[in-house]
Amino acid sequence: MFVSDILYAEKKLAQVGYYRLSGFWHTARKQMGNGCLSDNFLPSTSFEEIYKLYIFDKKLRILLLDIIERLEIHIRGVIAHEIGREDPLAYEKVEFINPNMLDDFLEWQKSITIKITRSKDEFVKHHLDKKQTLPFWVIIELWDFGNLSKYYSMLKPEYQNMVCKRFNIDNHTLSHWLRQINFLRNCVAHHCRVWNRLFTAEMTIPSVNNKKFKRYKKARSYFSKLGITTEDKYRLFSRIAVMWYLINQTSTNYIWLEKVNEILASFPNVPNAKLKAMGLGDYEKLPIHLLRNI
């Protein structure tokens, strides 16, 4: 590996760690005859470019956190409104829960109780001091994306439908999407590399040929134009496409896509590191003209 500034490299290795940075030069290692990677690097491998790739991934994660936060807060609001108006204390009651999920619900309730007990927030203290149970629209402010995703997955279909209709998608697909977005959120929050990550589960994409999505013409049309392949469903772009679809059910003036493309334009020169690893297919950047055509 070419290192033009030894002191700079030492500083960055001390700050970030050798092992963490090694994940960003993985593609630049030479392949041996047995298919394994050697400890030698391909020509033109530069430490400075490797570190730029690390910063590229960091900037991308920050933008992902931005859209996930926006989406999480909106979904909180929809669930609190739709389920809370059925019963302000619905989150405590098994009548709203799929009978097959009762054991999971009891475990979930324990985690929510712990959050209430440990909370130092004034709005929680206010209700507890008055010996009042926190209503749905209050308690949901303590939930993280995992609590949110889990609660939705446990609801009976009729209650799930109250939420998913606001996003123009069926309940099973929304439940799957929320789980996958939560996993992505955890990756981002724990500073994991995401630009070329191969996720363990494929993202459910509404298909023109799938009768299950017959009612959701808007979703089928949107995703069919993007041409996401089976392989790409395990990559980042499919998750970006899903989050953008959900965001656009209520918002039209969010300039997030443009900000992502600004970062993609700065992709560094690291041997064998390609934007294609994001699941972009033949695109060299986000196809904004297609993503905005919902």
Side-chain angles (χ1 to χ4, degrees):
M1 183 188 297
F2 177 71
V3 181
S4 63
D5 187 331
I6 297 294
L7 292 178
Y8 175 82
E10 288 179 346
K11 178 181 176 181
K12 295 308 175 186
L13 284 167
Q15 289 175 342
V16 178
Y18 178 93
Y19 184 76
R20 181 170 175 78
L21 273 180
S22 70
F24 292 88
W25 66 56
H26 184 78
T27 64
R29 291 165 61 187
K30 285 183 178 179
Q31 195 171 60
M32 297 187 291
N34 59 4
C36 296
L37 294 175
S38 74
D39 291 329
N40 297 315
F41 293 95
L42 294 165
S44 303
T45 302
S46 159
F47 180 85
E48 285 73 17
E49 291 297 308
I50 296 291
Y51 191 72
K52 286 179 184 178
L53 183 58
Y54 172 77
I55 296 300
F56 167 87
D57 192 71
K58 176 182 178 179
K59 290 179 178 178
L60 184 58
R61 291 196 310 271
I62 290 171
L63 275 182
L64 288 169
L65 192 59
D66 183 82
I67 193 172
I68 292 170
E69 177 195 27
R70 190 182 182 108
L71 192 57
E72 178 179 350
I73 289 172
H74 178 56
I75 294 172
R76 276 189 197 175
V78 171
I79 290 179
H81 180 265
E82 295 294 343
I83 310 302
R85 70 179 177 180
E86 292 291 311
D87 187 329
L89 302 180
Y91 68 92
E92 289 191 335
K93 299 181 178 179
V94 296
E95 304 93 273
F96 290 83
I97 302 301
N98 187 322
N100 297 327
M101 304 289 286
L102 288 182
D103 288 341
D104 291 331
F105 178 61
L106 293 176
E107 288 300 313
W108 178 87
Q109 277 189 315
K110 290 178 184 177
S111 69
I112 300 302
T113 300
I114 291 173
K115 283 182 180 290
I116 295 172
T117 303
R118 292 178 177 176
S119 176
K120 304 297 182 183
D121 290 306
E122 285 297 324
F123 68 88
V124 175
K125 187 174 183 297
H126 169 78
H127 283 80
L128 295 182
D129 287 346
K130 291 191 172 185
K131 301 190 184 307
Q132 295 175 342
T133 304
L134 280 67
F136 213 124
W137 47 90
V138 174
I139 188 69
I140 206 166
E141 290 296 321
L142 291 179
W143 296 6
D144 57 32
F145 209 113
N147 299 139
L148 192 73
S149 170
K150 186 65 176 178
Y151 182 74
Y152 180 80
S153 72
M154 295 185 297
L155 287 170
K156 290 179 178 177
E158 59 263 38
Y159 299 115
Q160 288 182 333
N161 289 335
M162 292 177 180
V163 176
C164 70
K165 70 180 181 181
R166 297 277 292 271
F167 296 97
N168 294 306
I169 199 65
D170 69 285
N171 59 335
H172 295 294
T173 301
L174 182 58
S175 184
H176 172 79
W177 283 357
L178 294 182
R179 288 196 300 273
Q180 293 308 309
I181 295 170
N182 180 55
F183 183 82
L184 175 60
R185 179 206 170 278
N186 290 341
C187 286
V188 171
H190 291 94
H191 323 300
C192 300
R193 190 178 70 253
V194 294
W195 75 272
N196 65 342
R197 177 172 290 275
L198 183 65
F199 293 91
T200 55
E202 72 173 60
M203 202 68 164
T204 298
I205 301 297
S207 168
V208 175
N209 300 319
N210 195 327
K211 294 180 180 179
K212 174 182 175 183
F213 301 114
K214 190 174 181 179
R215 290 174 50 205
Y216 304 99
K217 293 182 179 179
K218 182 186 290 188
R220 288 189 291 118
S221 174
Y222 167 76
F223 286 103
S224 65
K225 291 174 183 175
L226 294 176
I228 296 172
T229 67
T230 300
E231 181 183 347
D232 292 339
K233 291 177 183 178
Y234 291 90
R235 298 287 182 173
L236 182 59
F237 177 58
S238 63
R239 282 136 182 88
I240 288 175
V242 163
M243 291 191 294
W244 189 254
Y245 175 80
L246 292 173
I247 284 287
N248 266 263
Q249 303 313 301
T250 58
S251 176
T252 57
N253 60 352
Y254 188 29
I255 60 170
W256 186 82
L257 295 174
E258 289 79 3
K259 292 180 180 179
V260 173
N261 268 347
E262 285 180 15
I263 292 175
L264 299 191
S266 68
F267 192 74
N269 183 23
V270 175
N272 285 340
K274 297 178 175 61
L275 278 175
K276 187 179 177 66
M278 287 179 60
L280 284 168
D282 295 329
Y283 303 121
E284 295 182 358
K285 57 183 179 180
L286 295 185
I288 292 179
H289 63 295
L290 297 178
L291 290 166
R292 288 204 179 278
N293 188 21
I294 299 178

